[in-house]
């Protein structure tokens, strides 16, 4: 729970209206476009692996690659489009807490089923 | 409070606490007449479990007394009178002495984090050792494996004398699991409909019977005798009436019993009441019940070819997924096999005694001789089973009523059933 | 209560959507968005459901009093214990905790209201809708014909249409989803309140332990509710639209339900207990005249319980056939939950140590929790020993365990809370003599009811059986337990009588002046008039310490003795400031909930009804968003915020830094 | 920091009434999204657990999936996140006209995705995979259906924003509302990233 209950006082920031982000650089529209391009490329590559299976890559290798790309895409969207990278850290903690909890709990569940 | 009063209060509360503890202890130790008790195990597994938990009960008891003692002591020692503030008094406490304002003590906190942790670490080691030991099947000269199938609301036992559960069993019986004394008997626990749980408390803990799954379990008894059980996973309407019995015989008795189970029933002679009972049975009962040697698979109206109804519960998708539910299979064979009904001492999920006056009779093979048939209950059952044991017979759960039968029909049926020994 | 003026109401072109103004009488309750009234309504509803669930329990005990009991049939019995469990867990303990959360959280952090007052009202009405739906299952279509009857954890596949053809399980699936929406919305709301609405200087580690425990509870709800939502959705799809999630014939594994249920279910039990732990942590220091011992450890152990609670769920499944490795892992993880819980117990004892203990009614309840919960906790640890749990599970030994933790822990704590904060909410104390008497009657009855169940369980009595044979040896203790249950009933009746009689007394004699702080307590809620004025505090409080209010009352003299620094009347607010702008009431929360209720019945009975419900629901959302935004949850209109506090002055206004924490610790 | 949109949004959402300086609404949305992780996590795990539990002759993923088609619709949804960011940054700059365009574009892309999903569902259905056909069918439709419902709700919210904007009820001061709905929209997109990989692309 502690990640979820941030040490709020530390997010204190100047009254000048500066964002909670402190001194980080902020994305411009061009950055968004760059992120989108990266996302598009990653997606293209993901789909490519799907058809590549035919050429005899091991399933496990493909799964690892796919998961890596999925995670990357996920964090690109969350960090940039959802501004988590720049926004108050409390959001980051809350969301990541839910995310990690969900992954942990459900992976343990599948493990108990001897799924893997 | 004067010290005299305090002493008195101490004494009386000590008396109350230790008195009630003693009472409980006595109640637990005098564990007779509790056929389901977990406190006086007779099976190896049950005993190992008890040996694991009894010291832990003691540890828990010590913690219990420490905490309750502390509560009592603090109460008696630091209580100040005049706590009854009555209604609506304002500022009651205002000029009062304050105790020392202690905010905490890190060393104490760490101590009472670490001490329980250490205690539990020790306990968990013993737990793990016991846990894995319990899974072992100790070598025995028997190859026997029994497939236990739960069904709303009775148990079926399929005996595999060669230990191979993938082939049809050698014989099938219901509700009373008969095993030889002193050897570990592996069980293969399945369900045909919903989740049940197989539990003979004096022998071992319980294991769920889950449809679509097959669970390994072991039971053993160090004594001969009859040990009661109860389905312990809620399984619908008659869950409370889904009981069973484990009967533990000596090796010789078991062999005799086993050989008897393998022999098919004899066709009653023409002209007797039993013979006409058989006719009625063929019309009214054989659609569900199998009597080896007497009913044919065709009587069941099902697809099965084996007389015991084995093959109607197939494997699923090639995997060993156990048995699964299908309304058709329920009708077509999933009722207790009655071939040797009379060798059981109870019927209908072991809630009725089949014999009167037999008591907790042990000489299983003598049973028919040692008591008189509980005719009234059996007749009532045949006439209107759902009235005797809650069931949803319209949906193929439980045995339907046969209120169309005349008293003579029932007499004949009972005469027929009496031949099934 | 006095109507509060709402000076500036934006009248939109859409005149229909004006908000109800500070109204009187019953309407002021239906449309209220005041967290205190909502809290009171939660409490009242929970008490009502407690009587419903308790009467159900009495039927259980009547049926089991003697062997071969025939008071109710097997089918009805199955319905009775199911609805008893569901009612007690979801409609009694959870909303009772919500009552305290709603009433106290804003007060304890020094706020005017919760972050989203209208959503708060919605949470209550939505919970009530779920409660009404579940409770109505007992009589719709005949007495106990359509009641859920699969047990409160309702294992698949017995919950499928094939095995449970009545509408009962539909009521369960739909009803719990509705209460789930309520809990989720209120969790978000209350977390936002605690994080965001704290008054000046109220840093996280200056919050009372109760605030912390409630906050942790809300986080548990936030993450646990969606899990049961998934399970309930799958169940509902199976039942209403023939999907295959729990259809074994199609290859499904019924253990999926068990995992999903208990991933929710175990955090749920800490959802039930943590609020009570918080209440106890308020009561014991007050009546020991000492600060809570080990504040930081109390908070940290609560957090630890919240965390660990996520990793132990499969201890409910030791016999389900999971495989020995999973069993081993969950067995060990479960045991160690005893550690943080033990820290709490011992800290309470240490708080009492060398205190000046006054055994008022709330204190009796709080100490009762310490004592009774320990019993339940210890039996819990014996369940965690997986091999022996195979002997214990689904027996009365388990029933004993969870009634000791739930009744002896959660419920006693919540009752203690009623006595403690009653003067704050209503301006008069409940009668102490009756209170103590009812406590003892309850406590004795409780031990006579559930104590014997330990023995019964170990002697092999299974739970959920409508009767037992005479020769099984269960008769004696069952009779004792049944008598005990009726003794509890007398205790509860005495509590109800106390409420009635105390209320009647002040109605006749006029409200006594209990003052803002009748118990000489420590939290901010005692710093305002009783009953709490609608605007909570006359002016904003600036907090400098943990137990700020207490530190304003008391200081030390030269010799280091604790002495009064100022009379309470000088410190506390008298509630005379009526110029505070509060959000107006709103029609829409209750209308929206009515829509949800209709959808619920519609899903069970007739999809056209559901369509009507959706129409109402959409209309309500529309009305909601077009309502003149004179409250804080209308986005973007910060101008007229209810709990409006002056713009925080950055330099000093930010709640304390870690440094200040130490300072809080080192006072006097 | 006026040069970039995010900073402006952040500056606008700076909330002096709260103890954290964070607006209640935004906090609430993030809390909700944290909670949604467990909802979708549950559905995804259910799908993973169940997809293989079908008979050898049953209709399964390999029989129905049309990867090129789904890739295109996934791409569409992914790009709607870009337009959504633009919508947020334009309102933060007070450019209501652009904001309207981007809102509409986002809603349109979302609608395209949903339409694709409807098409996909009907195609699968005609190939013999219904909700009740087998465990794969039930789990697949439940998961993607839940996601589709989320997208649909997002579209409705975007269109409401659009209408508000047209009626002049949306202003720079309310940029945060757009941002919050944007958060929801991106989350739905992110969930699809996971679903697309796990459900469609993982070797069956
Ligand atoms: C308020 C609710 C609540 C709480 C707080 C708890 C607390 C605990 N519970 Fe309980 N539990 C339930 C409600 C609760 N439970 C319910 C409702 C069920 C049944 C569900 C059903 O089947 O219907 C259940 C069932 C249940 C089971 C499953 C039993 C079964 O069905 O087979 C288990 C197994 O491990 C368990 C364990 C525990 C443990 C270890 C704790 C621990 O948190 C307890 C920790 C506390 C202490 C240990 C006491 C204080 C500690 C000390 C004084 C320190 C020293 C102690 C030691 C060193 C041991 N509980
Ligand atoms: C918060 C949780 C909670 C609470 C408080 C209680 C309270 C009680 N419970 Fe239980 N109970 C559960 C949660 C709870 N229960 C759960 C989860 C189950 C499992 C269900 C399942 O298996 O699915 C269960 C199961 C359960 C069983 C097991 C049933 C079985 O397995 O077959 C029993 C048996 O004795 C029982 C008894 C009681 C009793 C006697 C009380 C008493 O403490 C009740 C006391 C209250 C009263 C007696 C009410 C007072 C009423 C009046 C004073 C009437 C006066 C009214 C007017 C004048 C208007 N409960
Ligand atoms: Cu079978 Cu319970
Ligand atoms: Cu648990």
């Amino acid at each position: 729970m502690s990640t979820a209950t941030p040490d709020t006082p530390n997010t204190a920031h100047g009254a000048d209206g500066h964002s909670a982000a402190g001194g980080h650089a902020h994305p411009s529209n061009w950055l968004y476009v760059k992120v989108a391009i990266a996302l598009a490329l990653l997606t293209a590559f993901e789909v490519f692996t799907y058809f590549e299976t035919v050429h005899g890559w091991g399933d496990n290798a493909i799964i690892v690659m796919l998961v890596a790309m999925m995670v990357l895409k996920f964090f690109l969207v969350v960090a940039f489009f959802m501004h988590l990278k720049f926004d108050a850290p409390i959001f980051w903690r809350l969301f990541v807490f839910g995310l990690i909890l969900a992954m942990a709990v459900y992976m343990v569940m599948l493990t108990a089923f001897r799924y893997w | 409070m004067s010290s005299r009063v305090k002493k008195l209060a101490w004494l009386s509360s000590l008396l109350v606490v230790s008195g009630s503890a003693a009472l409980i202890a006595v109640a637990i130790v005098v564990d007779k007449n509790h056929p389901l008790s977990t406190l006086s195990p007779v099976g190896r597994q049950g005993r190992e479990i008890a040996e694991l938990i009894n010291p832990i009960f003691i540890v828990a008891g010590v913690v219990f007394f420490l905490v309750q003692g502390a509560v009592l002591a603090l109460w008696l020692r630091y209580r100040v009178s005049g706590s009854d503030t009555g209604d609506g008094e304002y500022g009651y406490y205002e000029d009062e002495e304050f105790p020392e304002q202690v905010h905490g003590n890190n060393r104490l906190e760490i101590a009472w984090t670490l001490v329980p942790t250490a205690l539990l670490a020790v306990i968990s080691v013993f737990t793990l050792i016991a846990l894995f030991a319990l899974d072992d099947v100790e070598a025995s000269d028997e190859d026997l494996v029994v497939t236990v199938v739960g069904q709303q609301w009775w148990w079926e036992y399929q005996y595999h004398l060669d230990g191979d559960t993938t082939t049809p069993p050698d014989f099938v019986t219901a509700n009373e699991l008969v095993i030889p004394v002193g050897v570990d008997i592996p069980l293969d626990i399945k369900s045909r409909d919903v989740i049940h749980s197989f539990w003979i408390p004096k022998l071992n803990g319980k294991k769920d019977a889950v449809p679509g799954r097959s669970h390994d379990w072991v039971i053993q008894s160090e004594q001969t005798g009859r040990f009661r059980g109860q389905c312990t996973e809620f399984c619908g309407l008659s869950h409370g009436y889904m009981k069973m019995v484990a009967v533990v015989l000596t090796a010789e008795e078991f062999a005799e019993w086993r050989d008897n189970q393998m022999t098919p029933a004899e066709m009653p002679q023409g002209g007797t009441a039993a013979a006409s009972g058989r006719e009625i049975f063929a019309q009214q009962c054989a659609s569900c019940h199998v009597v080896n040697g007497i009913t044919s698979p065709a009587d069941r109206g099902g697809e099965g070819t084996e007389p015991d109804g084995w093959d109607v519960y197939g494997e699923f998708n090639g995997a060993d997924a156990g048995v699964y539910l299908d309304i058709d299979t329920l009708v077509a064979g999933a009722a207790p096999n009655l071939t040797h009904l009379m060798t059981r001492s109870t019927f209908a999920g072991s809630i009725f005694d089949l014999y009167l006056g037999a008591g907790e009779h042990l000489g299983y093979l003598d049973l028919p001789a040692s008591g008189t048939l509980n005719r009234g209950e059996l007749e009532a059952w045949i006439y209107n089973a759902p009235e005797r044991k809650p069931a949803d017979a319209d949906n193929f759960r439980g045995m339907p009523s046969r209120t169309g039968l005349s008293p003579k029909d029932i007499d004949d049926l009972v005469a027929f059933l009496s031949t099934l020994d | 209560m006095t109507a509060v003026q709402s000076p500036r109401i934006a009248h939109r072109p859409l005149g229909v959507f004006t908000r109800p103004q500070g109204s009187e009488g019953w309407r002021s309750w239906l449309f209220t968005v005041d967290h205190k009234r909502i809290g009171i309504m939660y409490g009242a509803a929970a008490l009502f459901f407690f009587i419903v669930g308790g009467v159900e329990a009495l039927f259980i005990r009547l049926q089991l009093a003697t062997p071969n009991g025939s008071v109710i049939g097997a089918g009805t019995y199955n319905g009775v214990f199911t609805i008893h469990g569901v009612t007690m867990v979801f409609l009694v303990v959870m909303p009772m905790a919500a009552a305290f959360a709603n009433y106290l959280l804003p007060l304890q952090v020094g706020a005017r209201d919760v972050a989203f007052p209208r959503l708060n009202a919605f949470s209550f009405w939505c919970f009530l809708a779920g409660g009404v739906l579940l409770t109505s299952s007992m009589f719709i279509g005949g007495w106990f014909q359509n009641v859920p009857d699969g047990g409160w954890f309702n294992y698949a596949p017995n919950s499928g249409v094939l095995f449970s053809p009545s509408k009962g399980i539909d009521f369960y699936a739909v009803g719990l989803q509705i209460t789930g929406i309520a809990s989720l919305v209120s969790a978000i709301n209350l977390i936002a309140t605690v994080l965001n609405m704290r008054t000046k200087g109220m840093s996280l580690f200056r919050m009372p332990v109760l605030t912390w425990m409630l906050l942790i509870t809300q986080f548990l709800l936030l993450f646990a509710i969606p899990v049961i939502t998934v399970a309930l959705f799958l169940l509902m799809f199976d039942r209403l639209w023939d999907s295959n999630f729990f259809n074994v014939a199609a290859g499904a594994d019924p253990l999926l339900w068990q995992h999903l249920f208990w991933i929710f279910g175990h955090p749920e039990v800490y959802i039930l207990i943590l609020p009570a732990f918080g209440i106890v942590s308020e009561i014991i220091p007050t009546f020991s005249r000492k600060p809570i011992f080990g504040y930081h450890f109390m908070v940290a152990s609560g957090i630890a319980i919240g965390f660990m609670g996520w990793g132990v769920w499969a201890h409910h499944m030791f016999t389900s056939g999971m495989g020995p490795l999973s069993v081993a892992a969950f067995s060990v993880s479960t045991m160690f939950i005893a550690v943080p819980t033990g820290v709490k117990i011992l800290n309470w004892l240490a708080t009492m140590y060398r205190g000046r203990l006054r055994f008022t009614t709330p204190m009796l309840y709080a100490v009762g929790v310490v004592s009774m919960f320990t019993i339940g906790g210890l039996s819990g640890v014996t369940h965690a020993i997986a091999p022996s749990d195979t002997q214990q599970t689904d027996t009365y030994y388990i029933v004993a365990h969870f009634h000791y933790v739930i009744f002896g822990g959660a419920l006693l704590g919540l009752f203690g809370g009623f006595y403690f904060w009653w003067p704050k909410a209503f301006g008069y104390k409940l009668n102490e003599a009756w209170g103590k008497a009812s406590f003892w009657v309850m406590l004795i009855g409780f031990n006579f009811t559930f104590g014997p169940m330990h023995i019964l369980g170990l002697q092999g009595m299974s739970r959920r059986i409508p009767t037992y044979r005479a020769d099984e040896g269960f008769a004696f203790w069952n009779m004792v337990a049944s008598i005990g249950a009726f003794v509890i009933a007398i205790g509860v009746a005495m509590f109800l009588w106390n409420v009635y009689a105390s209320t009647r007394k002040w109605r006749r004699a006029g409200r006594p002046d209990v003052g803002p702080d009748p118990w000489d307590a420590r939290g901010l809620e005692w710093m305002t008039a009783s009953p709490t004025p609608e605007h909570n505090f006359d002016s904003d409080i600036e907090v400098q310490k943990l137990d700020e209010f207490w530190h304003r009352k008391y200081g030390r003299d030269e010799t280091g003795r604790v002495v009064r620094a100022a009379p309470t009347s000088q410190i506390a607010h008298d509630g005379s400031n009526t110029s505070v702008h509060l959000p107006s009431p709103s029609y829409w929360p209750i209308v929206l909930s009515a829509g949800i209720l209709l959808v619920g019945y519609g899903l069970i009975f007739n999809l056209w009804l559901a369509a009507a419900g959706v129409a109402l629901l959409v209309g309500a959302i529309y009305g909601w968003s077009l309502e003149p935004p004179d409250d804080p949850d209308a986005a973007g209109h910060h101008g007229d915020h209810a709990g409006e506090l002056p713009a925080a002055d950055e330099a000093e206004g930010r709640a304390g830094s870690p440094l200040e924490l130490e300072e809080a610790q080192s006072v006097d | 920091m006026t040069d970039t949109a995010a900073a402006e949004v952040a500056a606008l959402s700076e909330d002096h009434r709260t103890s954290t300086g964070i607006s209640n609404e935004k906090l609430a949305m993030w809390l909700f999204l944290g909670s949604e992780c467990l909802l979708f996590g549950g559905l995804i795990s259910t799908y993973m657990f169940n997809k293989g539990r079908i008979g050898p002759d049953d209709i399964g993923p390999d029989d129905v999936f049309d990867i090129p088609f789904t890739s295109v619709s996934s791409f569409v949804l992914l790009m709607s996140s870009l337009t959504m960011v633009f919508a947020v940054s334009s309102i933060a700059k007070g450019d209501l006209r652009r904001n309207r365009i981007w809102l509409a574009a986002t809603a349109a892309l979302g609608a395209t995705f949903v339409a694709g999903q409807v098409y996909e569902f009907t195609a699968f259905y005609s190939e013999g995979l219904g909700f009740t056909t087998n465990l794969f069918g039930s789990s697949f439709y439940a998961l993607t259906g839940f996601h589709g419902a989320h997208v649909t709700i997002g579209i409705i919210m975007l269109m409401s924003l659009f209408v508000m904007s047209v009626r002049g009820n949306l202003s720079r001061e309310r940029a945060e509302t757009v941002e919050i709905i944007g958060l929801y929209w991106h989350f739905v997109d992110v969930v699809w990233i996971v679903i697309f990989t796990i459900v469609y692309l993982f070797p069956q």
Side-chain angles (χ1 to χ4, degrees), chain A residues 1-2 4-10 12-15 90 94 97-98 101 105-106 108-109 112-114, chain C residues 195 198 204 215-216 219 223 227 253 255-256 259 263 303 307 310 313 322-323 326 330 650 654-656:
Chain A
M1 218 100 292
S2 67
T5 48
D7 209 4
T8 0
N10 292 337
H13 33 269
I90 177 177
L94 283 175
F97 184 81
L101 183 67
V105 156
Y106 292 121
V108 170
M109 177 180 94
F113 274 123
R114 283 176 249 180
Chain C
L195 293 185
R198 280 167 291 149
L204 290 179
L215 177 67
I216 296 164
F219 271 106
F223 296 124
V227 186
D253 190 332
L255 294 197
L256 180 65
H259 277 291
I263 290 176
I303 294 173
F307 256 120
W310 286 96
W313 74 85
M322 274 190 307
S326 310
F330 281 104
E650 299 303 327
R654 289 296 169 217

Side-chain angles (χ1 to χ4, degrees), chain C residues 25 27 55 72 164 177 195 206-207 232 254 257 277 299 310 370 377 426 543 549 559 571 577 580 663 666:
Chain C
R27 300 178 84 242
V55 170
I72 46 180
S164 299
Q177 294 204 44
L195 293 185
R206 286 177 191 164
M207 300 193 310
L232 293 171
W257 168 272
F277 282 178
V299 172
W310 286 96
V370 177
F426 301 107
V543 174
F549 176 49
T559 63
I571 304 163
N577 179 356
V580 182
E663 182 197 325
S666 62

Side-chain angles (χ1 to χ4, degrees), chain C residues 50-51 54-55 57-58 60-61 64 77 81-82 84-86 88-89 93 151-153 396 399 402-403 406-407 411 449-450 453 463-465 485 488-490 492-493 496:
Chain C
F50 178 58
I51 289 168
V55 170
L58 293 181
I60 296 180
R61 287 317 322 166
L64 293 179
Y77 183 84
F81 73 70
T82 304
H84 162 71
V86 170
M88 286 296 194
V89 170
V93 178
W152 85 283
F153 50 69
Y396 267 77
V399 178
F402 66 74
H403 284 93
I406 294 186
F407 194 110
L411 216 58
T449 310
F450 300 110
M453 290 186 189
R463 60 194 281 205
R464 298 173 167 181
I465 54 173
I488 305 181
I490 295 172
V492 175
L496 296 176

Side-chain angles (χ1 to χ4, degrees), chain D residues 89-168:
Chain D
S89 74
S90 51
I91 188 142
K93 295 197 185 99
D95 187 343
L96 285 172
R97 201 183 61 85
R98 282 238 170 79
N99 171 248
R100 238 168 278 160
I101 292 173
W102 290 122
L103 282 176
T106 312
L109 288 173
T112 313
F113 174 82
V114 172
Q117 205 170 36
V118 170
Y119 167 79
E120 193 184 67
F121 281 10
T122 44
F124 290 3
Y125 189 74
S126 64
E127 284 175 56
L129 183 75
F131 188 45
T132 61
T133 309
N134 57 26
L135 263 177
F136 164 66
S138 298
S139 312
F140 171 80
Y141 285 115
L143 172 57
T144 52
F146 252 93
H147 179 265
H150 274 75
V151 180
T152 310
I153 290 170
I155 294 171
I156 293 172
M157 293 198 294
L158 288 171
M159 295 200 318
S160 315
L161 282 182
F162 183 79
V163 171
M164 275 170 77
S165 178
V166 169
R167 293 187 56 216

Side-chain angles (χ1 to χ4, degrees), chain C residues 6-10 12 18-21 33 117-118 581-586 627-634 637 639-642:
Chain C
S6 304
R8 192 171 51 81
I9 297 297
R12 290 276 170 128
T18 53
R19 301 175 74 141
Q21 299 303 314
V33 296
R118 285 188 299 176
H581 171 214
L582 290 169
S584 308
S586 170
E627 206 166 39
D630 69 345
D631 80 357
D633 58 314
H637 283 245
D640 45 8
H641 190 284

Side-chain angles (χ1 to χ4, degrees), chain B residues 18 135 154 196 206 232 271 275 372 374 388:
Chain B
S18 49
D135 271 356
W154 58 283
H196 307 270
K206 42 188 95 62
T232 43
T372 50
N374 188 355
R388 310 299 302 157

